């Protein structure tokens, strides 16, 4: 944590910080078929709380990644599909690969978040 970065408020992370973490994940060489986006999301206090969105290439759905409310652990929400979609075995395998990457990204964000909290706690002592 840099000295000029604000201390985190609860489990939420700013859009700018999440963009840095998503970029770090990309730079590690993860193969991402769809798109990753960090959207601005207003927290309950009106603060910038960022939301990571995985836009799936092989499905008519997105996955929202965010900390669970009230604790430091992250969760993934798969949006509703608008319609049925038959898949070939290859398309099914490609979708499974996308889900694995989304799970890896969610795990990565959770560990980054926990490290951020530990660093913030050490800085406050």
């Amino acid at each position: 944590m840099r000295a000029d970065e604000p201390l985190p408020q609860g489990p939420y992370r700013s859009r700018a910080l999440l963009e840095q973490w998503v970029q770090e994940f990309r730079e590690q060489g993860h193969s991402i078929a769809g798109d990753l986006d960090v959207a601005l999301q207003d927290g309950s206090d009106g603060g910038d709380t960022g939301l990571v969105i995985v836009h799936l290439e092989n499905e008519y759905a997105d996955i929202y990644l965010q900390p669970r409310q009230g604790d430091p652990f992250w969760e993934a929400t798969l949006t509703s599909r608008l319609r049925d979609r038959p898949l070939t075995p290859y398309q099914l395998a490609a979708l499974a690969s996308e889900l694995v990457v989304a799970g890896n990204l969610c795990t990565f964000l959770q560990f980054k978040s926990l490290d951020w909290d530990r660093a913030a706690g050490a800085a406050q002592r």
Side-chain angles (χ1 to χ4, degrees), residues 9-122:
Q9 302 296 316
Y12 299 105
R13 305 296 178 242
S14 72
R15 180 181 184 185
L17 182 59
L18 291 177
E19 285 174 340
Q20 289 175 0
W21 291 351
V22 166
Q23 184 60 32
E24 184 178 335
F25 183 79
R26 288 178 194 269
E27 289 170 357
Q28 290 179 354
H30 296 276
S31 178
I32 301 163
D35 291 322
L36 295 178
D37 187 30
V38 180
L40 181 61
Q41 179 180 14
D42 291 331
S44 59
D45 64 353
D48 166 18
T49 63
L51 174 71
V52 178
I53 304 171
V54 179
H55 303 285
L56 299 173
E57 182 176 282
N58 293 287
E59 182 53 80
Y60 304 122
D62 294 326
I63 300 174
Y64 299 147
L65 307 176
Q66 63 187 355
R68 293 189 307 207
Q69 189 160 355
D71 72 40
F73 299 103
W74 283 64
E75 66 184 4
T77 303
L78 181 61
T79 62
S80 298
R81 295 182 3 238
L82 300 175
R83 58 184 174 205
D84 290 345
R85 181 174 183 200
L87 299 172
T88 67
Y90 306 107
Q91 290 169 321
L92 183 59
L95 176 58
S97 176
E98 285 188 275
L99 295 175
V100 167
V101 171
N104 290 343
L105 175 57
C106 194
T107 301
F108 176 83
L109 293 171
Q110 179 169 309
F111 280 109
K112 292 296 284 187
S113 188
L114 291 170
D115 282 346
W116 177 264
D117 287 345
R118 276 191 287 277

